[in-house]
Amino acid sequence: MLKNVLKYLPLLFLLTACARMGNPDGGWYDETPPRVVHSEPNDRGTNVTAKRITINFNEYIKLEDAQNKVIISPPQLEMPEVRAAGKRIIVNLRDSLKPNTTYTIDFSDAISDNNEGNPMGNYTFTFSTGDQIDTMQVAGYALDASNLEPIKGILVGLYRADSTFTDSTFHKTPLLRVSRTNGSGFFSIKGVAPGRYFVRAIQDADGDFVYGQKSETIGFTCDTIVPRTTMGIRQDTLWKDPLHIDKITQTEYLRYLPDDLTLLCFQAKLTDRYLIKTERKEPEKLGFFFSYGNDSLPVIRGLNFEADSAFVIEASEKRDTVYYWLRDTTLVNQDTLRMEATYLMTDSTGTLIAKTDTIEALAKIPYAKRLKSKEKEIEQWEKEQEKKKKRGEPYDSVRPPEFLKPRINPSGQMAPNQNVYFEFDAPLDSCNLEGVHLYSMIDSVWYRAPHLFQQVDTRRYVLKAEWRPGIEYSLEVDSMAFVNIYGLFNRPIKQGLKITPEERFSSLIVSLTHAPDSGTVYVELMDGSDKVSRREKAVDGTAEFYYVRPGKYYLRAFVDLNDNGIWDTGDYDSNQQAEEVFYFHEELECKEKWDVTRNWDLTYRPRYQQKPANITKQKPDKDRQVSNRNAQRAAEKGITYVPKDK
């Protein structure tokens, strides 16, 4: 008998080793997620009156980021206590329980075992204070209206579409049921009763579940939704091994609708005007920073200096930032400037009123400190000249004066559709347009080239010309053509400009279909970081991009409803959505000498599927799993590994 056992013993070892050919050092990782064994009250229990929920598991567990991941509906105005204790999760609700209401505690993927971190998966605990459980669900996506980025962590909730709902409900009444979006912007609101609902989204800053601040990001739809169900078919793939499919099965499941709602979220334009701060970083200029722009700029009255004609005023495009450049170097040298500034601000009723502040502007970098730094530079220069003299090298006995040095961009190679910009460190006192010359070389002969030199803003100028591909230009500026308010002037400037030949570029023609009937459509060429490289207006449904530099691009379009040339946000109180934005779902490659054409149906894909993953900054949440660690460990040891559920 013993002899027979010994005979078959090697075969027994071989059979038992088929699934796991050995046991790696340290043993296998635990792959089994936690499992609920009991709860008080029961999951899906009815007529519940207890405000303390205890959920027991079969092993020690941990709860990750409960404050952000655990969502309770109806929303709790008083923060509930949610904590893990050994093999239990304890939830203490501090708000009063509403009668005949289904409560859901959505833990998302916050629960995992304590040792290996095996996630339990998306787990929701449900109970009702009435005699039935509401089981409907509503799902969809919340996206940033300006760039279709998924918004992670925004609250999405419901209001009943009945006689109690008015335009002000969102401002006054907390959402009825809520969910929070994940890394894909996806939300799922559970425990919904039959009926009609409005959907709202809010980045709730103060935790009151209402839209109380214009700084809060919101999303809304004007249409009502009706939760319903239908039977769907899901395909499941069974694998023989990691490379070969065994079979594909189809399984019926109960599908909750709507499951593809899309909320395009925005932050309303902040129209309340107030002074944020004043700042004097450099001694020669004073900055006023407002929350919102206005055509009426601050009026300055000097208290320890004469303010009349003392400033050159530089305002930003939105006029929410205003710089006052001091003309007089005596005032630049003065460490502290005291003044009264009168400006418009919004009062508690939303009306613009005049307000006067007394301001003391102390330079963060005093002029004396800057002067001392300048003296050190001169001293260093003198030492260098003395060393050159001792070595018998050419040297300067007099230090050259400081000249005005404009920044010129582009400075060399440029495209035919570009222009040349001049930027100065301080405003100009005078600009001699006759001192700016442009020459083009044709057949080895220099000719004067027609051009236009214009001021863009306080410190920027532009040189426009009909730039011809492949032609070389010479930009020449006379001495003292530019003189700034501190008396600095330029030396003669001579700079060559070469226009890139046409064959070094690509062209792109985009034909649009299903564009909105109203408004102007702008098509934007985006780079790999989702920044705008070019923008063109669509004319008769076509946007044309010429002289496109070779590279990989993406397309975005927006509908300009008010013809101001920029994308505008929405406003809830005016029932105004943000201007529509679309993305082309594929990457485009433009090569030299290529003429690229694309037909773009703006509505072919839903918004949440439009933006290419390569330029989507908000990435989906990573699946929390550890079973691949066993496969990796087995591969390192040359062992065949089969998971426990196979």
Side-chain angles (χ1 to χ4, degrees):
M1 182 67 180
L2 179 61
K3 183 177 180 180
N4 290 335
V5 172
L6 293 175
K7 178 180 178 181
Y8 291 103
L9 190 59
L11 182 59
L12 290 173
F13 275 116
L14 180 63
L15 291 174
T16 57
C18 287
R20 293 179 174 87
M21 298 296 292
N23 191 20
D25 295 341
W28 299 103
Y29 291 106
D30 175 22
E31 299 176 4
T32 308
R35 178 170 50 85
V36 176
V37 294
H38 180 261
S39 65
E40 183 63 40
N42 292 330
D43 191 4
R44 301 185 65 81
T46 56
N47 298 309
V48 173
T49 58
K51 295 167 63 175
R52 177 185 172 95
I53 296 96
T54 303
I55 307 171
N56 297 289
F57 296 85
N58 64 332
E59 60 181 311
Y60 289 98
I61 55 96
K62 57 185 176 182
L63 192 62
E64 181 184 285
D65 195 15
Q67 184 173 355
N68 292 314
K69 288 193 173 184
V70 180
I71 297 294
I72 300 176
S73 276
Q76 305 292 289
L77 295 180
E78 188 173 352
M79 186 65 66
E81 178 190 22
V82 183
R83 60 186 175 89
K87 297 183 179 181
R88 295 183 299 169
I89 287 179
I90 300 169
V91 179
N92 286 314
L93 303 178
R94 295 193 171 99
D95 283 0
S96 299
L97 296 180
K98 299 179 180 180
N100 299 314
T101 300
T102 296
Y103 280 77
T104 57
I105 306 174
D106 189 346
F107 290 92
S108 183
D109 63 349
I111 303 172
S112 60
D113 69 40
N114 193 55
N115 292 325
E116 302 295 350
N118 293 304
M120 184 178 179
N122 293 324
Y123 172 61
T124 301
F125 184 89
T126 307
F127 68 91
S128 175
T129 57
D131 56 8
Q132 65 179 19
I133 296 286
D134 296 322
T135 59
M136 292 294 184
Q137 298 180 22
V138 173
Y141 297 84
L143 309 177
D144 187 323
S146 66
N147 55 18
L148 302 192
E149 278 284 320
I151 303 179
K152 181 178 180 177
I154 193 170
L155 290 174
V156 184
L158 303 177
Y159 288 111
R160 282 196 176 275
D162 55 24
S163 59
T164 64
F165 185 88
T166 65
D167 291 340
S168 63
T169 299
F170 195 19
H171 288 297
K172 297 177 179 180
T173 306
L175 293 160
L176 179 64
R177 304 201 69 81
V178 294
S179 176
R180 197 186 298 274
T181 56
N182 63 16
S184 301
F186 179 78
F187 65 89
S188 178
I189 307 172
K190 301 174 182 177
V192 181
R196 301 182 69 87
Y197 295 91
F198 287 108
V199 186
R200 299 290 183 264
I202 181 169
Q203 199 76 273
D204 195 17
D206 44 18
D208 57 1
F209 301 96
V210 299
Y211 180 33
Q213 304 177 34
K214 275 196 170 183
S215 59
E216 294 174 322
T217 298
I218 62 162
F220 71 99
T221 61
C222 297
D223 299 329
T224 60
I225 62 164
V226 179
R228 62 194 188 279
T229 60
T230 186
M231 294 307 298
I233 297 178
R234 179 189 296 115
Q235 286 190 341
D236 295 321
T237 303
L238 300 179
W239 296 82
K240 291 181 180 179
D241 55 55
L243 298 177
H244 301 89
I245 296 175
D246 183 14
K247 60 180 177 179
I248 298 176
T249 62
Q250 291 186 338
T251 306
E252 278 195 332
Y253 72 100
L254 187 63
R255 181 180 177 185
Y256 295 93
L257 298 174
D259 58 2
D260 59 352
L261 291 170
T262 302
L263 293 171
L264 299 173
C265 304
F266 58 86
Q267 188 180 93
K269 188 179 291 185
L270 299 177
T271 55
D272 290 341
R273 178 176 165 84
Y274 55 89
L275 179 63
I276 298 172
K277 66 175 180 178
T278 60
E279 191 172 63
R280 191 184 175 195
K281 278 188 175 180
E282 295 89 16
E284 62 266 21
K285 68 177 180 179
L286 171 67
F288 284 73
F289 301 87
F290 292 91
S291 61
Y292 193 74
N294 191 276
D295 289 336
S296 177
L297 300 179
V299 177
I300 306 298
R301 184 175 76 86
L303 299 179
N304 64 346
F305 68 98
E306 180 55 55
D308 292 342
S309 304
F311 302 111
V312 173
I313 302 176
E314 176 186 354
S316 65
E317 183 179 356
K318 295 181 179 180
R319 302 178 80 82
D320 54 0
T321 302
V322 186
Y323 286 109
Y324 290 79
W325 290 82
L326 295 164
R327 289 178 174 273
D328 191 345
T329 53
T330 304
L331 296 180
V332 174
N333 299 346
Q334 190 170 322
D335 285 345
T336 303
L337 298 176
R338 296 183 66 250
M339 67 197 77
E340 283 185 350
T342 302
Y343 57 89
L344 293 179
M345 64 163 285
T346 308
D347 65 9
S348 58
T349 65
T351 304
L352 284 173
I353 61 170
K355 187 178 189 301
T356 300
D357 287 339
T358 300
I359 296 170
E360 286 193 359
L362 176 66
K364 287 189 176 181
I365 305 176
Y367 185 77
K369 185 176 180 180
R370 184 184 290 183
L371 191 61
K372 191 173 182 179
S373 176
K374 201 73 173 177
E375 289 172 352
K376 286 184 178 180
E377 288 181 15
I378 295 173
E379 184 180 344
Q380 183 64 30
W381 178 85
E382 290 175 345
K383 287 181 179 179
E384 290 176 359
Q385 301 307 312
E386 187 64 28
K387 288 179 182 178
K388 289 182 179 180
K389 181 179 179 181
K390 289 180 179 179
R391 293 194 298 262
E393 299 175 0
Y395 69 95
D396 294 321
S397 57
V398 179
R399 190 169 187 266
E402 186 179 354
F403 290 100
L404 186 64
K405 298 176 182 179
R407 291 183 293 278
I408 302 175
N409 184 48
S411 57
Q413 198 84 9
M414 57 184 288
N417 59 339
Q418 286 184 285
N419 286 308
V420 181
Y421 286 86
F422 291 68
E423 186 173 352
F424 299 88
D425 289 330
L428 296 185
D429 186 59
S430 64
C431 176
N432 178 17
L433 300 182
E434 303 298 324
V436 180
H437 313 280
L438 185 67
Y439 302 93
S440 61
M441 179 180 282
I442 302 175
D443 297 330
S444 301
V445 178
W446 288 103
Y447 294 92
R448 286 186 176 273
H451 66 275
L452 186 63
F453 192 73
Q454 295 176 317
Q455 184 173 4
V456 178
D457 52 38
T458 309
R459 293 183 292 122
R460 283 201 312 156
Y461 292 76
V462 63
L463 177 72
K464 297 179 179 180
E466 185 180 351
W467 309 106
R468 298 168 61 185
I471 298 298
E472 185 178 350
Y473 291 82
S474 178
L475 170 61
E476 300 179 14
V477 181
D478 295 341
S479 177
M480 299 188 68
F482 310 128
V483 182
N484 74 8
I485 58 176
Y486 304 119
L488 293 181
F489 57 87
N490 67 288
R491 287 188 293 183
I493 299 171
K494 186 173 183 179
Q495 182 169 302
L497 298 171
K498 185 67 180 290
I499 311 304
T500 305
E502 286 185 331
E503 59 267 20
R504 298 290 300 276
F505 295 99
S506 177
S507 66
L508 173 64
I509 308 299
V510 182
S511 299
L512 306 176
T513 55
H514 290 116
D517 295 331
S518 58
T520 301
V521 178
Y522 283 90
V523 179
E524 296 174 323
L525 207 57
M526 318 296 290
D527 63 17
S529 61
D530 202 25
K531 292 183 180 179
V532 179
S533 296
R534 294 269 299 276
R535 173 186 294 171
E536 295 293 340
K537 182 189 293 188
V539 179
D540 295 330
T542 302
E544 300 176 343
F545 295 86
Y546 296 105
Y547 304 118
V548 178
R549 296 189 182 278
K552 294 181 179 180
Y553 297 95
Y554 301 87
L555 290 176
R556 179 171 73 187
F558 75 91
V559 183
D560 185 16
L561 293 175
N562 56 3
D563 287 328
N564 64 352
I566 61 174
W567 177 85
D568 288 300
T569 188
D571 184 81
Y572 178 78
D573 295 323
S574 302
N575 198 27
Q576 179 182 342
Q577 296 284 351
E579 290 180 332
E580 288 188 281
V581 171
F582 305 88
Y583 272 81
F584 188 63
H585 66 282
E586 293 179 345
E587 178 185 80
L588 301 177
E589 185 173 8
C590 295
K591 296 183 178 181
E592 290 184 5
K593 302 180 183 180
W594 278 29
D595 295 325
V596 181
T597 60
R598 283 294 183 274
N599 296 318
W600 184 7
D601 184 341
L602 296 179
T603 60
Y604 176 71
R605 290 171 175 259
R607 274 344 141 75
Y608 63 88
Q609 292 181 352
Q610 288 188 3
K611 189 166 188 177
N614 287 349
I615 57 173
T616 300
K617 296 180 176 62
Q618 175 59 58
K619 301 301 182 183
D621 295 333
K622 292 183 178 179
D623 291 335
R624 299 177 58 201
Q625 54 186 355
V626 298
S627 60
N628 60 340
R629 295 164 65 191
N630 280 332
Q632 182 179 356
R633 172 172 282 187
E636 291 172 354
K637 300 295 181 179
I639 299 169
T640 302
Y641 173 74
V642 179
K644 291 181 180 180
D645 58 352
K646 296 298 183 183

